[in-house]
Amino acid sequence: MTAMAHEPLTQEEVLLEGFLALDTPEGFRAELIEGEIVVTPPPDGDHEKYISRIVRQVIKRSGTDMDFSGNKGLRLRSGESCPKNHVVPDVTVAPLESDLFGGAGSWMACDGVAMVLEVTSTRPRADREAQRRCYARGGVPLYLLIDRDTSQVTLFSAPEKDDYREHCTRPFGKALALPEPFGFELETTDFL
């Protein structure tokens, strides 16, 4: 019997395989962000309140009917030598007519996603920086960040390479314009 020679796995391949094999405790979520495995505990009630207020407005006021997925795994392009990023936004939004989530696996490409939403929690810096870069690299058109530490809402748009070229920040209590396909002013007075 002869042994078959196998190419050794690269460090990136080992990291990705280890990440995909993780078995996180119920309610926790694991992400692979710029070469780092991040495990996040279940969110608190205020975190979910912000999400609820935004989703309700999008359903009622958006110019396009939207579909939502909470905690949907997105597979995004990576930078440099890192394996593909595997990020789980708090909310992923896509036009209803695209039926983007129907039949999707645990991790899906971000093609067709209209916007992702993150509410800061235990690792706000990751939401502000690393995840923003991941979404930009993936070509996600809009990234809406609710920053509880700074009491601000920021919409990042016009993704190019490793970041977004444009952003608009408003303090809680001030409206923020969501462009097409949404086409309405997002109210944030409920965030105060």
Side-chain angles (χ1 to χ4, degrees):
M1 175 179 233
T2 56
M4 297 278 296
H6 293 282
E7 290 291 318
L9 295 175
T10 66
Q11 185 175 2
E12 292 78 27
E13 291 168 330
V14 170
L15 178 62
L16 181 58
E17 282 188 19
F19 167 74
L20 293 173
L22 279 177
D23 185 19
T24 56
E26 186 174 337
F28 283 70
R29 69 179 184 200
E31 300 172 288
L32 180 57
I33 302 171
E34 295 187 335
E36 180 182 355
I37 294 175
V38 178
V39 178
T40 308
D44 62 27
D46 285 337
H47 181 276
E48 297 304 285
K49 171 188 164 183
Y50 292 118
I51 291 171
S52 173
R53 297 306 190 268
I54 292 168
V55 168
R56 291 178 61 189
Q57 287 186 60
V58 171
I59 289 171
K60 290 180 180 180
R61 303 175 66 204
S62 180
T64 301
D65 284 338
M66 292 292 175
D67 209 359
F68 301 86
S69 180
N71 300 310
K72 179 69 190 114
L74 297 178
R75 199 174 47 254
L76 305 164
R77 288 187 290 277
S78 62
E80 300 176 18
S81 64
C82 296
K84 280 194 174 179
N85 292 298
H86 286 67
V87 182
V88 182
D90 290 328
V91 176
T92 303
V93 184
L96 182 64
E97 69 181 17
S98 70
D99 193 23
L100 194 63
F101 308 119
S106 298
W107 297 99
M108 66 178 226
C110 58
D111 301 331
V113 169
M115 180 172 72
V116 292
L117 163 65
E118 294 282 1
V119 177
T120 58
S121 53
T122 56
R123 293 175 43 100
R125 188 171 177 208
D127 293 325
R128 293 181 196 124
E129 297 174 17
Q131 286 185 243
R132 184 191 76 231
R133 290 189 299 267
C134 289
Y135 297 137
R137 275 186 218 111
V140 175
L142 300 172
Y143 172 38
L144 184 62
L145 175 65
I146 310 305
D147 195 323
R148 298 192 293 175
D149 294 340
T150 63
S151 299
Q152 295 178 324
V153 58
T154 301
L155 181 67
F156 295 94
S157 59
E160 185 176 289
K161 297 182 183 176
D162 288 345
D163 212 342
Y164 287 92
R165 289 180 292 141
E166 299 175 18
H167 73 277
C168 179
T169 302
R170 296 285 183 264
F172 287 177
K174 299 290 183 186
L176 175 74
L178 291 182
E180 294 301 330
F182 301 94
F184 73 93
E185 295 273 319
L186 179 72
E187 295 298 328
T188 66
T189 52
D190 282 352
F191 298 174
L192 294 172

